[in-house]
Amino acid sequence: MTTCTGCSLLCEDIELVLKTGAISEAKNLCRKGQGHFQALFTERTKPMIDGKEVTLDQAIAKAAEILKNARTPLLYGWSNSTLEAQTVGINLAKKIGANIDDTSSFCEGLLMERILNGKIPTCTLDDVRNFADTSVFWGTDPSNSHPRHLSRFSYYPRGEKRQKSYEEERTCMVVDVRKSATAHLCSNYYFRVPPEGDAEFLESILTVLDGKIPKTGDKKRLIELGTILKKTEFGVIFPGQRMIYSMQDKMDLFEELVARLNEITTFKVIPMVGHYNMRGFNQLMLGQTGFINSVSFRGGAAGAATTHGPEQGVALAAKSSDAALIIGSDPLSALPFGTARALAHIPLIAIDPRRSLTTDAAQVVIPSALSGLEAGGTALRMDGTRISFEPITESERLSDEQILTRIMEAI
Amino acid sequence: MSVELKIVCFEDIFQYESGEKSRFSDEYRQFSAVILLDKQDMASLGVKDGDKVLVENEISKIVVAAKTSDDEPHAGLAFMINSVWSNQLLRDDLCNASVSGFKGITARVAPSQGEVTRIPEIVQRLRA
């Protein structure tokens, strides 16, 4: 049995039989996980400096040299690394006075910060399976992003208090700009919002909860939605990126909605985190710095966070850094043009199990083991549950933690 | 003929699986370099499924394949899968809340005789 690190559900019930060059048998593995584990056999990275293959020792030494000589280094990625690797990474940032940030500054961070600071109530996915009668997927499509969410936790399982499950006891709702696969599944309760219209939709729900008629939107359907929310015994909202991008600086409204719902019944929130250990990085950072991401350790007392804010987020930090270490992430592919372009113009050190646009552009490439298959460790599921996993196959490749430790030692 | 559209990005499990195998494959490009258009916008542009369109804004430009959306009607709104192609059009300037205007893309779409933009060309632009 192994754990899939393909998304933040961290499914622990995966049975795999590996043969040379292929997965010969797989049980409980979704299509996304199947793709994730295929990374074992395709386009693996090799140690490189300036496009030429070198020894691992040479690549690590060069990485240490670049970071040591950088005036404003940036350490970015982290959401696809274990807690153990993230801990070493934060220590590395403290040691060299670096800026450190993860993928959450571009996605769920805005909401995660409120969850971790206790401003928005949350629960575990096991609570969802056992008690939830209403799940609201808002700006997210778990059928494509977290394929086993509905089957393991939110819709189909017969939980402790939900033995009649989706047939009678669970309602699944989708609020989204697009009629996604999940929206098709619960089409009776699909609520379409226009682009950037989530805040207005949310205000309409607040109006309905106050017993008034909303000024905008389909009044009949909004009243129907309000009635279901009020009758819910244990509800959970799962916000995704499309909701967060749409809300932007109006997230206080969402906090207000959740507070209002909890005056009537019980409602919790679990952000639909994408990468398998984004939450882990956010919790570690909060514990050590008081901030979940986007922190600089430059110029202050040893180990003290000196500044935090958008300027320390990757989008701006990439433009003011003179070198960057990228771990388990492909920002040249995943981030906006301007940020990717800024990164492509500074010396990059890429630690990654597989080839990407970022490893192709990197001055130094350090191959790493694939978490969950070739390297063990610990991570936090999207709901904060700690999951530990052991490697199921031997590998000569070092784990992220081992690579970062060696870079630290060499600086 | 061209139309100005709002573009929203979404996730697709088949494209994700393909990208995990290789971000440099033809299969991944075929999944990713696509824009889903409303039937009315397809007609306005005079394009049919598989025709190439130039998607351009103040940030960058790409050529992708047009496909009729099965989620109609949404004239004036288009959808693209999250990928390096859609990300070429994204702004990265920050709003007050520190999340960028990510995924709220406005772009002009026009028929194109060009080929779908390939990864090496994108990498070249990033390095230019």
Side-chain angles (χ1 to χ4, degrees):
Chain A
M1 207 78 86
T2 190
T3 300
C4 177
T5 50
C7 80
S8 59
L9 290 182
L10 286 168
C11 296
E12 300 168 90
D13 57 350
I14 309 301
E15 293 177 36
L16 282 181
V17 178
L18 301 176
K19 285 189 179 167
T20 309
I23 296 170
S24 64
E25 285 177 42
K27 195 173 172 188
N28 298 330
L29 194 60
C30 72
R31 183 172 280 273
K32 193 170 179 177
Q34 173 82 16
H36 178 64
F37 285 149
Q38 283 296 331
L40 261 181
F41 311 112
T42 54
E43 302 197 322
R44 297 304 299 262
T45 45
K46 293 176 178 173
M48 311 272 274
I49 298 175
D50 295 325
K52 291 177 187 159
E53 196 171 334
V54 296
T55 66
L56 181 65
D57 289 346
Q58 288 171 320
I60 287 174
K62 185 68 179 174
E65 181 193 319
I66 291 171
L67 291 176
K68 193 175 177 181
N69 293 332
R71 285 178 297 106
T72 53
L74 166 67
L75 312 182
Y76 177 76
W78 306 111
S79 302
N80 282 319
S81 298
T82 60
L83 288 169
E84 293 81 0
Q86 292 169 351
T87 301
V88 181
I90 296 169
N91 288 336
L92 176 62
K94 289 176 180 174
K95 182 173 182 175
I96 62 174
N99 201 118
I100 187 165
D101 192 28
D102 81 319
T103 52
S104 69
S105 71
F106 260 107
C107 51
E108 303 279 346
L110 204 58
L111 183 60
M112 186 59 82
E113 190 171 22
R114 290 168 192 255
I115 298 274
L116 296 182
N117 282 319
K119 291 180 179 174
I120 295 178
T122 190
C123 64
T124 68
L125 287 169
D126 304 286
D127 292 334
V128 175
R129 182 179 56 236
N130 287 324
F131 308 117
D133 54 344
T134 298
S135 290
V136 182
F137 294 100
W138 196 327
T140 184
D141 176 19
S143 296
N144 277 287
S145 63
H146 301 77
R148 298 184 69 206
H149 196 291
L150 278 77
S151 61
R152 288 187 66 206
F153 302 109
S154 54
Y155 194 46
Y156 295 113
R158 301 194 190 284
E160 189 181 317
K161 299 281 184 190
R162 299 292 163 216
Q163 284 297 301
K164 292 180 182 174
S165 188
Y166 70 100
E167 299 104 325
E168 292 182 31
E169 290 186 323
R170 292 193 201 267
T171 302
C172 169
M173 296 182 178
V174 173
V175 180
D176 210 341
V177 67
R178 178 174 174 270
K179 192 165 185 181
S180 63
T182 310
H184 277 283
L185 189 72
C186 16
S187 56
N188 287 344
Y189 300 109
Y190 167 55
F191 297 87
R192 188 189 293 273
V193 290
E196 295 164 22
D198 295 64
E200 189 174 294
F201 183 79
L202 199 151
E203 281 174 334
S204 296
I205 300 175
L206 279 167
T207 303
V208 169
L209 292 177
D210 286 340
K212 298 171 188 167
I213 305 294
K215 288 175 185 166
T216 55
D218 185 333
K219 297 175 179 59
K220 190 178 167 190
R221 291 214 70 210
L222 280 162
I223 290 167
E224 181 191 10
L225 169 63
T227 304
I228 294 168
L229 295 178
K230 283 180 183 174
K231 285 183 178 174
T232 292
E233 290 176 3
F234 189 111
V236 186
I237 302 174
F238 299 96
Q241 289 185 10
R242 278 186 296 280
M243 183 267 211
I244 292 167
Y245 296 141
S246 172
M247 293 293 289
Q248 297 207 10
D249 56 348
K250 293 174 186 159
M251 200 54 83
D252 284 348
L253 257 183
F254 180 67
E255 203 175 310
E256 188 185 330
L257 172 68
V258 178
R260 181 76 186 89
L261 285 168
N262 277 287
E263 289 170 8
I264 302 165
T265 179
T266 299
F267 258 89
K268 309 287 186 183
V269 176
I270 301 178
M272 292 293 278
V273 171
H275 301 297
Y276 87 83
N277 200 22
M278 188 198 93
R279 180 158 181 161
F281 181 78
N282 293 153
Q283 280 195 209
L284 275 178
M285 284 288 285
L286 186 68
Q288 294 204 26
T289 70
F291 307 107
I292 66 160
N293 58 21
S294 307
V295 163
S296 172
F297 292 102
R298 189 177 171 219
T306 54
T307 45
H308 159 76
E311 289 77 18
Q312 284 70 49
V314 65
L316 289 181
K319 290 160 188 162
S320 61
S321 296
D322 58 353
L325 180 147
I326 311 292
I327 184 161
S329 181
D330 185 12
L332 264 61
S333 174
L335 294 185
F337 178 77
T339 310
R341 191 161 185 266
L343 288 171
H345 282 79
I346 58 175
L348 294 179
I349 301 152
I351 302 173
D352 208 297
R354 51 195 290 274
R355 184 186 172 208
S356 67
L357 271 70
T358 304
T359 61
D360 273 15
Q363 186 177 354
V364 180
V365 178
I366 304 176
S368 56
L370 192 70
S371 291
L373 275 185
E374 297 174 314
T378 316
L380 299 188
R381 205 167 63 180
M382 65 159 67
D383 59 348
T385 299
R386 183 175 288 261
I387 308 280
S388 294
F389 45 87
E390 297 292 329
I392 63 160
T393 182
E394 289 184 2
S395 171
E396 292 176 352
R397 293 176 178 84
L398 301 182
S399 67
D400 291 343
E401 180 190 5
Q402 290 170 317
I403 293 166
L404 291 164
T405 301
R406 287 193 55 187
I407 292 174
M408 282 265 279
E409 287 167 355
I411 292 176
Chain B
M1 177 61 200
S2 67
V3 292
E4 188 169 288
L5 299 173
K6 174 83 87 177
I7 301 170
V8 172
C9 296
F10 67 100
E11 54 279 85
D12 178 88
I13 195 169
F14 299 99
Q15 179 253 13
Y16 181 91
E17 182 195 24
S18 174
E20 284 292 279
K21 289 179 196 163
S22 171
R23 292 201 177 151
F24 301 90
S25 67
D26 290 343
E27 182 188 74
Y28 184 62
R29 188 180 69 248
Q30 284 157 11
F31 272 123
S32 306
V34 175
I35 187 166
L36 302 181
L37 298 168
D38 183 84
K39 209 177 279 181
Q40 189 181 316
D41 291 325
M42 294 280 278
S44 299
L45 290 167
V47 295
K48 57 185 188 306
D49 282 353
D51 285 354
K52 309 299 180 290
V53 290
L54 174 70
V55 188
E56 185 175 16
N57 64 8
E58 74 280 12
I59 308 295
S60 190
K61 58 184 175 183
I62 49 164
V63 175
V64 296
K67 190 178 171 190
T68 310
S69 170
D70 58 6
D71 178 26
E72 294 189 288
H74 53 77
L77 175 65
F79 298 108
M80 288 184 76
I81 295 177
N82 288 325
S83 78
V84 67
W85 282 270
S86 59
N87 289 339
Q88 296 310 293
L89 304 162
L90 285 179
R91 298 170 64 93
D92 68 348
D93 49 338
L94 301 172
C95 73
N96 295 335
S98 87
V99 173
S100 73
F102 214 36
K103 311 298 179 192
I105 302 168
T106 302
R108 187 153 284 282
V109 180
S112 171
Q113 299 303 313
E115 290 298 310
V116 166
T117 310
R118 290 173 180 261
I119 293 266
E121 189 182 335
I122 291 173
V123 172
Q124 201 174 12
R125 275 190 222 164
L126 291 174
R127 286 175 156 174

